[in-house]
Amino acid sequence: MAVAPPAPRATPALPFAGPDQLDPRLEELLAGASAQLSHWLATAGQRPPLPQLAVLPEVHPQSTGLDQQRLLADLQLVMDGAYNPNHPGALAHLDPPPLLASIAAELVCAGLNNNLLAEELSPSLSRLERSLCTWLAEAIGLPQGSGGVPASGGSLSNLMALVTARVSRGLQQCGDAVLLASADAHVSLSKALMVMGLPPQALVSVPVDGEGRLQLPQLEAQLTRLQQQGRPVLAVVATAGTTVCGAVDPLVPIAALCRSHGVWLHVDGAIGAVYALDPHHAARVEGLGLADSVTVNPQKLLGITKTSSLLLLADPAQLQAAFATGLPYMEASWGGGHGGECGIQGTRPAEVLKLWLGLRQLGLEGIKAILDGAIERHCALLQRLAAVPRLHLRRGALHLLAMTPEGLSAEQAESWSLHTRQQLLESQLMLSRPLYQGRHHLKAVLGNPHTRETHLQQLAAILASSVAALP
Ligand SMILES: *Cc1c(COP(=O)(O)O)cnc(C)c1O
């Protein structure tokens, strides 16, 4: 006797929104999560920037799935232990509060669940992504026809830039190619070389001046030396906004030097490139548009939710030259190339959505207001701290300020930084503690739009008294 096939179940128990009518479970869960999140953001000022270690909820799925109330309660436990970027005293890192439109776009991005790997999996979003990359590239000063691709973070953007540079120079098989960057360039360059199969010595470090900028004569000397030795140069990486000082390398003469030596210029503008979006601030990163490629991280100052990074190129066709493999399991591209052919990542979420909606919500005036605010707070803090005797300030052209007292041994500087950071945390002010040129500093990042004059006043007072108390 034939066994009857099982009848399809009438009521879908699985938690997927039904395709034919509103799913009340979805509406309820979104409403609950949204209420919790709004409350979390609205009470940020009552919790410290850095929370106490919190209890984690159970991590493994139980045999029966949990109800929504329990899910929301577990979610709350994780939220309670989360870093609190919306606190006005959160001044330690390049992690600002999230923009409203970005939060909403992130939610919609998850709900659409499109894939930027291929156009048929993200028809409108692939086009939006390409168009926005072009707009952004031209807006920061790259030539007409420029463009690029988003990536999950600046480390990946830098890696893709270097791989693209290597292909464009035909150096794929070359084990002794080198990369030149300043001593203050970001650690992601070392990581990129590692992934590219090059030894650590492939990173040739160019000294910086007293303000953390690459020294041009030293770069020129290195380029000439390498040329004489017949050593191929993969690229020069200039930094627009270094991680500790916020310094901007002299991009205009570096670009001229690269051009005359026929070398690819990548600008790591993870921190600083967004300043080029406003004509009042663009001079801080003058020359950005002369690069062959630029890393931009809108997640770092503009408040676009993580991750939001892009690699922008004067000639975006170079991306396909470096990364296209063909996608034999996809329909051919109809709109200028599949996302998966333009970079290292395959499946990618529509991160473009929160960038696009966030920038549209801000408008050019909003972007300017964010940049203005960051620079004003930087100036205000600088002014207060300049009056503190013995405090050595390291300041670049952007919104970062690092400091360490003079006349201390490295050990004394470390203990000062530890002690002072703790004191600041007790007042709900959080700075970071980078090791820079062999010495611990405290670093303030003035990108938080909630920070007020009173917070800066309090910050400066605590710093001043901690220096005054030194032997
Ligand atoms: C943050 C940063 C990076 C790396 O970006 P991630 O998004 O953290 O991967 C690269 N370069 C500079 C200058 C940075 O500040």
Side-chain angles (χ1 to χ4, degrees):
M1 214 176 75
V3 179
R9 288 193 214 173
T11 47
L14 287 174
F16 293 96
D20 299 318
Q21 55 192 342
L22 276 179
D23 190 327
R25 295 170 306 176
L26 176 64
E27 293 190 293
E28 220 175 89
L29 190 55
L30 288 186
S34 151
Q36 251 171 248
L37 180 62
S38 303
H39 185 261
W40 186 81
L41 289 166
T43 52
Q46 296 157 32
R47 297 184 310 273
L50 189 60
Q52 304 286 325
L53 275 187
V55 191
L56 271 189
E58 208 170 66
V59 293
H60 57 275
Q62 296 181 356
S63 53
T64 304
L66 301 179
D67 64 35
Q68 303 204 139
Q69 250 174 346
R70 176 67 196 279
L71 293 180
L72 290 172
D74 280 3
L75 208 46
Q76 187 62 49
L77 283 178
V78 180
M79 292 165 73
D80 290 343
Y83 175 67
N84 182 13
N86 218 33
H87 189 286
L91 297 166
H93 297 286
L94 295 141
D95 291 71
L99 269 184
L100 298 185
S102 279
I103 301 174
E106 190 94 82
L107 173 69
V108 172
C109 172
L112 298 179
N113 208 19
N114 275 214
N115 187 345
L116 271 293
L117 170 68
E119 286 166 354
E120 67 187 87
L121 292 172
S122 52
S124 56
L125 290 161
S126 286
R127 280 165 56 209
L128 182 69
E129 182 174 283
R130 204 161 23 243
S131 304
L132 188 64
C133 284
T134 297
W135 177 80
L136 202 61
E138 293 178 5
I140 65 165
L142 288 169
Q144 227 186 346
S146 53
V149 69
S152 290
S155 303
L156 205 47
S157 296
N158 281 344
L159 170 61
M160 291 196 298
L162 298 182
V163 171
T164 306
R166 176 157 77 174
V167 171
S168 94
R169 294 301 184 263
L171 296 173
Q172 295 96 305
Q173 311 303 329
C174 183
D176 68 346
V178 298
L179 177 73
L180 292 113
S182 93
D184 284 8
H186 194 259
V187 290
S188 56
L189 300 182
S190 303
K191 219 190 265 183
L193 292 179
M194 198 192 305
V195 175
M196 292 166 75
L198 292 169
Q201 309 85 273
L203 179 56
V204 175
S205 182
V206 182
V208 294
D209 65 17
E211 298 197 9
R213 294 169 301 202
L214 177 146
Q215 292 189 33
L216 195 68
Q218 305 264 12
L219 175 65
E220 187 163 18
Q222 288 283 12
L223 279 172
T224 306
R225 179 183 66 87
L226 290 163
Q227 201 163 30
Q228 283 163 356
Q229 293 174 353
R231 263 327 259 289
V233 177
L234 197 65
V236 166
V237 178
T239 308
T242 56
T243 313
V244 175
C245 303
V248 178
D249 290 339
L251 303 178
V252 174
I254 291 176
L257 207 51
C258 287
R259 197 148 298 174
S260 73
H261 284 260
V263 170
W264 182 286
L265 172 60
H266 175 63
V267 176
D268 181 356
I271 297 175
V274 295
Y275 280 93
L277 292 175
D278 181 74
H280 296 90
H281 292 282
R284 298 179 196 281
V285 291
E286 191 191 358
L288 194 65
L290 302 171
D292 293 290
S293 57
V294 180
T295 290
V296 188
N297 271 23
Q299 70 194 18
K300 279 196 169 169
L301 176 58
L302 295 182
I304 309 298
T305 51
K306 289 182 247 318
T307 52
S308 183
S309 175
L310 305 106
L311 174 63
L312 303 174
L313 298 94
D315 176 10
Q318 304 260 8
L319 282 175
Q320 295 216 18
F323 295 107
T325 55
L327 291 175
Y329 31 79
M330 292 292 170
E331 288 302 309
S333 156
W334 60 76
H338 292 307
E341 300 260 71
C342 302
I344 287 173
Q345 288 175 270
T347 291
R348 233 170 0 96
E351 288 175 349
V352 64
L353 208 58
K354 63 202 177 193
L355 175 59
W356 166 70
L357 209 65
L359 294 177
R360 298 269 293 171
Q361 182 177 47
L362 285 172
L364 298 177
E365 289 172 5
I367 294 171
K368 176 175 188 298
I370 288 180
L371 302 174
D372 283 351
I375 293 297
E376 279 161 20
R377 289 185 295 276
H378 183 254
C379 289
L381 184 61
L382 193 61
Q383 212 165 31
R384 289 183 181 277
L385 293 181
V388 177
R390 269 187 84 178
L391 193 58
H392 183 119
L393 300 174
R394 298 187 179 276
R395 45 164 303 195
L398 309 182
H399 59 288
L400 284 70
L401 187 57
M403 63 208 83
T404 195
E406 281 160 357
L408 299 185
S409 69
E411 291 72 30
Q412 286 170 323
E414 180 174 11
S415 114
W416 169 81
S417 70
L418 259 173
H419 171 77
T420 309
R421 176 169 137 119
Q422 192 49 41
Q423 248 186 323
L424 289 166
L425 281 173
E426 281 158 22
S427 298
Q428 307 212 332
L429 295 164
M430 182 174 169
L431 300 193
S432 58
R433 218 165 53 80
L435 186 61
Y436 179 70
Q437 297 188 347
R439 181 169 293 266
H440 279 87
H441 289 60
L442 284 175
K443 178 177 93 171
V445 179
L446 285 312
N448 185 336
H450 301 316
T451 308
R452 296 281 161 266
E453 181 60 30
T454 52
H455 301 111
L456 299 179
Q457 196 178 347
Q458 196 186 9
L459 179 63
I462 294 172
L463 286 166
S465 71
S466 81
V467 176
L470 285 169

